[in-house]
Amino acid sequence: MTDGGARAGRRLTRALRRGSWGGIAIVASPAASAHTAGDGAGAFYAGLGHLFSDPAHVLLLLAIGLGLGLRPSPTARFGTWSFCLTLLVGLGAAFGFGLLPGLDRLLLALAAVTALSLVVVGAVLPGWAVLGMASLSGLAIGLDSAPPDGPWQASLMMLSGTLLGALMGVVYVVVIVGYFQKPWQRIGVRVAGSWIAASALLVLALRFAGV
Amino acid sequence: MHNGINQSTPTAGSRALLRWLLLPALMALAPLALAHEGAGVAGGLLSGLLHPLAGPDHVCAMVAVGLWGAFLGSPAIWTLPVVFPLVMAFGGALGVLGVHVPAVEIGIAASAIVLGLMVLCAARPALWIAAVLVGVFAIFHGHAHGTELPSAANPLAYSIGFVVSTGLLHLFGIAFGLLTRWPAGRIAVRAGGMLIALAGGAFLTGIA
């Protein structure tokens, strides 16, 4: 690995260390019921819970996290940033325009394609394709996270929960996979990618079957 | 197999960083555990995890895939366990959508026979042949799971559960197959293949 790559990796870990303090501060607030789209922390946890209770979101987050984690540090870093920025754009659009129908199928198809191309196939894809997939994933998750009708403050808190959950989900997976350097570990990640793709295909079939 | 990826190795500081990362994640997700009752998603996931284990014909074939992959060595040792769930998902999708696949149960029994014989005979075909063979049988297994999916309590969690369970059975087969590094282990593995083939014959003839 080049010196530039090592410095980039150290900057990333320092940023994550600082960011984790912010995450602790944010989530240390008392939690109300996650199903109440009400004020404050309840709405925040509703957004967080909705993200991790939707199989399409979870599969796509895992797929993009695993895929970015297998890439070199600069690509992983830029891919993560691309995901974050387009996620913000998608959440903003969801806040303004509400839920778009049929996005869950797009997310599942994207999860399958992402897992297959970035994780199973591996490093044959060029960097721009990886960034494109990361951007598309962030945008899709954001657009599919529209809050229910209610006070705008609660909607904003829900979207904040979704934002933090998605960022944590992707960043954690990217960093953890980045530490997998042994061949058997990276093989394990590829096998996990095949599971993600398989699960996404099955869930997609269920959606088309109307289940 | 580095693939030109990040070469940094973990240090004590990096491991400490991982602990820092885990702490806010656990704190953030802990309230969700209290907020959701577990019967729906968790129940479906558990059912899916257990479903492949409830069918000895499925178990035999899954283990045989891992065994054969370990026997063939790299890259088959991970290629076959990657190909199988992917093609199985395709077969599962066919089952969910109601597409008819003939002789599914015969195909499942035949998978145990053929894959067991491959291990018994120490067959070493080209990787693409092994992958095609495994893929063909995966369609039958997937279709059998897929037809039962819509009636599951939580089909989404169920589908994820049985994919993971299938993969874990492969891993068990791989672990067993790694015994081939020793002479006695090679005999044990080939004997395992024989037992799987015999079991497949019993399933096919209706004895078991």
Side-chain angles (χ1 to χ4, degrees):
Chain A
M1 189 175 72
T2 63
D3 288 343
R7 281 196 296 273
R10 286 192 292 272
R11 280 199 295 271
L12 176 64
T13 53
R14 277 197 299 271
L16 286 171
R17 189 179 288 128
R18 293 188 193 111
S20 64
W21 277 112
I24 292 171
I26 289 169
V27 302
S29 57
S33 165
H35 293 288
T36 305
D39 307 335
F44 178 84
Y45 279 103
L48 195 63
H50 171 261
L51 181 75
F52 290 109
S53 64
D54 188 330
H57 289 193
V58 172
L59 290 171
L60 184 54
L61 284 175
L62 282 175
I64 200 67
L66 291 179
L68 290 176
L70 288 176
R71 307 295 294 194
S73 181
T75 308
R77 186 158 51 96
F78 288 123
T80 306
W81 276 113
S82 301
F83 176 87
C84 296
L85 290 171
T86 54
L87 177 67
L88 274 170
V89 170
L91 289 172
F95 181 66
F97 302 111
L99 188 64
L100 298 175
L103 272 179
D104 57 337
R105 298 180 185 185
L106 173 65
L107 260 71
L108 288 166
L110 201 53
V113 170
T114 303
L116 277 172
S117 56
L118 291 192
V119 184
V120 176
V121 175
V124 296
L125 287 182
W128 60 265
V130 176
L131 295 183
M133 281 196 178
S135 303
L136 197 56
S137 299
L139 184 66
I141 290 177
L143 288 173
D144 197 45
S145 300
D149 292 335
W152 68 267
Q153 296 91 336
S155 298
L156 210 54
M157 288 306 294
M158 274 194 75
L159 292 175
S160 301
T162 302
L163 175 66
L164 182 66
L167 292 183
M168 281 170 56
V170 168
V171 169
Y172 282 25
V173 174
V174 169
V175 171
I176 290 171
V177 171
Y179 283 110
F180 291 166
Q181 296 301 312
K182 295 191 170 118
W184 68 267
Q185 292 171 331
R186 299 184 85 81
I187 287 172
V189 172
R190 291 191 171 171
V191 172
S194 72
W195 295 357
I196 291 170
S199 299
L201 285 171
L202 280 167
V203 177
L204 189 59
L206 286 167
R207 296 268 202 245
F208 277 113
V211 178
Chain B
M1 185 177 57
H2 295 290
N3 295 326
I5 312 296
N6 184 3
Q7 301 290 304
S8 63
T9 55
T11 62
S14 304
R15 287 192 286 274
L17 173 63
L18 279 176
R19 287 193 287 272
W20 280 108
L21 291 176
L22 283 172
L23 178 59
L26 291 172
M27 292 180 68
L29 295 175
L32 300 177
L34 298 173
H36 290 277
E37 62 89 17
V41 176
L45 188 66
L46 189 60
S47 296
L49 284 169
L50 293 176
H51 183 259
L53 303 177
D57 46 356
H58 288 292
V59 173
C60 286
M62 302 304 103
V63 172
V65 170
L67 261 184
W68 198 27
F71 194 84
L72 293 174
S74 181
I77 192 170
W78 62 268
T79 303
L80 298 188
V82 164
V83 165
F84 192 97
L86 289 173
V87 182
M88 183 184 71
F90 174 70
L94 294 179
V96 168
L97 297 172
V99 175
H100 176 66
V101 172
V104 168
E105 293 302 321
I106 293 175
I108 291 172
S111 68
I113 296 172
V114 172
L115 295 174
L117 286 174
M118 291 293 116
V119 175
L120 171 64
C121 302
R124 292 182 180 277
L127 179 63
W128 71 270
I129 294 176
V132 166
L133 196 60
V134 164
V136 165
F137 289 129
I139 292 179
F140 293 110
H141 287 270
H143 191 274
H145 291 309
T147 50
E148 297 172 28
L149 261 177
S151 59
N154 190 310
L156 307 182
Y158 185 95
S159 61
I160 294 172
F162 87 74
V163 168
V164 172
S165 183
T166 297
L168 292 175
L169 285 171
H170 290 324
L171 285 176
F172 175 77
I174 290 172
F176 183 29
L178 292 176
L179 293 176
T180 52
R181 63 179 63 185
W182 295 286
R186 289 181 72 87
I187 296 172
V189 168
R190 291 176 72 170
M194 179 185 71
L195 289 173
I196 289 172
L198 286 173
F203 300 139
L204 188 64
T205 55
I207 296 173

